[in-house]
Amino acid sequence: MTVEVHDGEVDIVIAALQPNLTPFFEAWRPFFSRFHVIVVKDPELAAELQIPSGFDVKVYTKSDIQGLLGATSIDFSGHSCRYFGYLVSRKKYVISIDDNCLPAKDPAGVTVDAVTQHMINLKTPATPFFFNTLYDPYRKGADFVRGYPFSLREGVECMLSCGLWLHNADYDPMTHVVKRNQRNTNYVDAVMTVPLGAMLPVSGINVAFNREVLGAVMFPGLRIRKQGNHRWDTLEDIWNGLCAKVVCDSLGYGMKTGLPYVMRSDAEAGKALESLKDWEGVKLMDDVLPFFQSVKLSRNGVTVDGCVKELAGIVREKLAPKNPVFAKAADAMEEWTKLWKSHGAQSA
Amino acid sequence: MTVEVHDGEVDIVIAALQPNLTPFFEAWRPFFSRFHVIVVKDPELAAELQIPSGFDVKVYTKSDIQGLLGATSIDFSGHSCRYFGYLVSRKKYVISIDDNCLPAKDPAGVTVDAVTQHMINLKTPATPFFFNTLYDPYRKGADFVRGYPFSLREGVECMLSCGLWLHNADYDPMTHVVKRNQRNTNYVDAVMTVPLGAMLPVSGINVAFNREVLGAVMFPGLRIRKQGNHRWDTLEDIWNGLCAKVVCDSLGYGMKTGLPYVMRSDAEAGKALESLKDWEGVKLMDDVLPFFQSVKLSRNGVTVDGCVKELAGIVREKLAPKNPVFAKAADAMEEWTKLWKSHGAQSA
């Protein structure tokens, strides 16, 4: 499957959690150089960023965030700084990859163009209403299998593409500590639509989405106590993905997972151990998932913005009594719809 | 992941639609020889079967079917003859592979042991309540990703394993005609649980299941007009898989799809074209899938047998008015629960 990708329809958004971005940019040069790149510097990071020349880059810092938004209840520190990039982008699509990830190689040894693969995922239809056992039916060499209703073979628009990671997989701190020597080496050559009603843990490490349509639900909502700038300390992307899935399911859009892979550098396992004592995500998810599995949005929320407002209200009613972090998440979701209306909902 | 597979817990069930099974058995000898093999000869097939020596085989013919069951409204001709094997098996697990399929090779060139892979799928838990983006979390080198609730990491019992096909994929006759030169070459090295509520087209080409638990729902129910013994003429396995998925969802069991692959020999594309004029499956599936997506079984059906009886009643009420084939399917489902009680519901 080939799709045309125009320079002017994609922004690459990078959260800078470390100052030296030179190896990152050099490795991604063949794939990023023709696109506008938005770098959002972690507001907690003091050192000056190093970015090689030859890119169309715009860097946003703490003062840019404060200058544009003023007082806001949303915390853009750590991994959450990338969401500011989603707000100031003016492109139809956004691709965001963590700054500790480099291009992966496929089993044939070819370097993976993650940008093109994400765009293929977003520009070809999704099939959320029936599972195709041969995975993406639009892929070259594949098709819909016997029994797949012809009325569903047009598919629906795909709004989010969740890519994966070789080497250092995206585990919670407990798993990092227990399996400190385990590395993901299994390159699964498949893209699939996550079925209607099924929830998945979207990782923000390597993700792309249709910003024009989905932007109002791409927020850093759930912030757990003592969140650092390690992925294993965060649930903001998981929460965001669950909200996005509920909204996509409600509006008839699709989400895909699988290719492209990126090569993720080693976590510092010792630090994962330090993270354990403050990590509340384990018990939070046991409340969060049943909530998202059962939540049903009304037919009134016919826009993403309307869906987010409704969902924030249900979070406040059903989850906030269990833990104050959910009340804060509902606040952030409502705040985001305002920020998006003022700053995000514009295209080039 | 390794599991222990005992000779006495698995039957291999083969539907003989052609007389010369020698190449088939010789190719599968390394994997089948230690198990009991049940061969059910298509009642429409006249020629004598050729089966090489060195196997623990029992062949069932038209007279065995008539002798055991007497008058029955279920038609065991063509691909449906294998279901008689499910009835006379006395083992916990059944694996069934079409007689035009040979062992596949994985990308490293190693011949795939489909028996062991099916048994791994059935003997390790399924995870239908949340999608794990790294696929089967119990596989060596994999785990549950960040955000996966710990309360769900035990999984549930897997009752059905749907394997796939290299070379000649399982397409409908239209796709066979249009893409007559396309062969499936993409070996996707993954097993996944199909999420709760998501429906999939289970193919009977390469399938395994827990016969003790699921046997009462493993029937040839939907029979379309002028059904031959080509897969593209049949929907019996698709219907069966949808019924099994609804029952598994209702009872909290899992179903997996993916590995193992088998190598499926070429279809005769000319014959696919001949099949088109009589093939009703295309429009049938447009009624069938919405039905299965929305059907909810009551909490009273706490056994598979109870679920099937209830489902047959709903099929009769909701689908039968649209097309008489659905009334016949409901008849067959009810008949099967009786046959299963009399003949199937016994173990070694």
Side-chain angles (χ1 to χ4, degrees), chain A residues 73 219-225 235-236 238-240 242-243 280-292 308 310-335, chain B residues 149:
Chain A
S73 62
F219 45 69
L222 186 70
R223 205 167 174 94
I224 53 182
R225 193 161 58 101
L235 277 180
E236 121 280 333
I238 306 292
W239 178 269
N240 175 17
L242 294 171
C243 293
E280 291 198 338
V282 179
K283 24 185 222 296
L284 282 183
M285 283 304 293
D286 288 328
D287 288 329
V288 164
L289 187 59
F291 169 79
F292 280 100
V308 172
E310 184 182 356
L311 185 57
I314 308 174
V315 167
R316 197 181 302 286
E317 182 196 337
K318 305 273 189 194
L319 281 179
K322 298 189 179 188
N323 192 318
V325 302
F326 297 125
K328 284 190 182 167
D331 290 345
M333 290 163 72
E334 284 164 357
E335 170 83 356

Side-chain angles (χ1 to χ4, degrees), chain A residues 11 25 38 53 64 85 103 107 135 190 199 233 245 251 267 270 273 294 299 306 335 337:
Chain A
D11 274 346
F25 270 94
I38 292 174
S53 61
D64 294 312
Y135 311 103
M199 293 293 130
D233 285 331
K245 185 62 165 61
L251 298 178
L273 190 57
S294 60
R299 295 280 163 187
E335 170 83 356
T337 62

